[in-house]
Amino acid sequence: MTALLKQTTPTLADIDTLAQTYAESHAELVALLAKIDEETRTVYERHAATLMQAATLASGHKDELVAAVDGARDLFAKPKSQTLAGVKVGLRKGIDKLTYDDDTKLIDRIVALFPDQARTLLRQKTEVNKDALKTLPSKDRQRLGVKLVSGADEPFATIAKSDAEKAAAVILEKVADAQ
């Protein structure tokens, strides 16, 4: 903690000095991250074509493997999967899904054919519209048991964030969490 903060009440000049110090150290952090980002981008660009070739090759090999498993389903009756060369292969239960033509038509059919189950088969979400409640007169909100609590002033310090600055914020948060 700096000597400025040991005073009982910091002055605006003290806060200005602290803000300047923070802005300078933050700018150094952002500059370092921007440099790292540029170096990373340069390395990635240098290897991008090779990366795409490797990814395309791996994807093709995976497609071949999946096709081979599909063509030999009887090998995976029991057990349904095996690990070969560090790769788990086999069959697994697909995710069930419902299909129907049109939401509106299905809703109408449910209401017509199963009126007693409509509340179960259909979802109707009712929630409070807080924006609308704020516009109600105070006495109406009071009748509902709703209070409008004004937000209290809270101290803050922010710097407009570029991509590099967003990365800096993540690092600063990690440092704060570690302390």
Side-chain angles (χ1 to χ4, degrees), residues 17-18 20 22 31 41 54 59 85-86 97 105 115-116 123 127 134 136 142 145 149:
T17 300
L18 291 168
Q20 184 63 39
Y22 170 60
R41 192 179 0 252
S59 178
K97 64 180 180 177
K105 290 178 184 177
D116 54 328
R123 185 174 298 137
E127 58 185 35
K134 286 178 185 176
L136 281 178
Q142 189 175 22
V149 179

Side-chain angles (χ1 to χ4, degrees), residues 82-145:
Q82 297 179 36
T83 301
L84 306 170
V87 179
K88 191 169 185 175
V89 296
L91 302 173
R92 65 176 164 218
K93 174 82 169 95
I95 299 172
D96 295 339
K97 64 180 180 177
L98 296 172
T99 61
Y100 46 88
D101 297 332
D102 179 74
D103 281 1
T104 306
K105 290 178 184 177
L106 179 58
I107 291 169
D108 291 343
R109 283 194 299 259
I110 288 171
V111 170
L113 298 173
F114 303 102
D116 54 328
Q117 295 180 42
R119 293 187 130 229
T120 304
L121 298 173
L122 301 175
R123 185 174 298 137
Q124 185 172 6
K125 186 175 182 181
T126 303
E127 58 185 35
V128 174
N129 183 343
K130 292 180 182 179
D131 292 330
L133 281 175
K134 286 178 185 176
T135 65
L136 281 178
S138 176
K139 71 176 193 174
D140 290 343
R141 283 195 309 266
Q142 189 175 22
R143 287 177 52 204
L144 292 171

Side-chain angles (χ1 to χ4, degrees), residues 17-33 159 165 168 171-172:
T17 300
L18 291 168
Q20 184 63 39
T21 302
Y22 170 60
E24 290 168 2
S25 64
H26 187 269
E28 289 175 23
L29 176 60
V30 168
L32 178 59
L33 286 167
I159 294 177
E165 288 171 327
I171 290 172
L172 288 171

Side-chain angles (χ1 to χ4, degrees), residues 31-48:
L32 178 59
L33 286 167
K35 180 180 176 185
I36 291 169
D37 185 51
E38 181 58 34
E39 290 175 12
T40 303
R41 192 179 0 252
T42 301
V43 170
Y44 179 81
E45 288 170 0
R46 190 170 56 234
H47 297 284

Side-chain angles (χ1 to χ4, degrees), residues 56-71:
T56 301
L57 183 64
S59 178
H61 289 156
K62 180 182 178 185
D63 291 345
E64 285 180 54
L65 176 59
V66 170
V69 170
D70 191 33

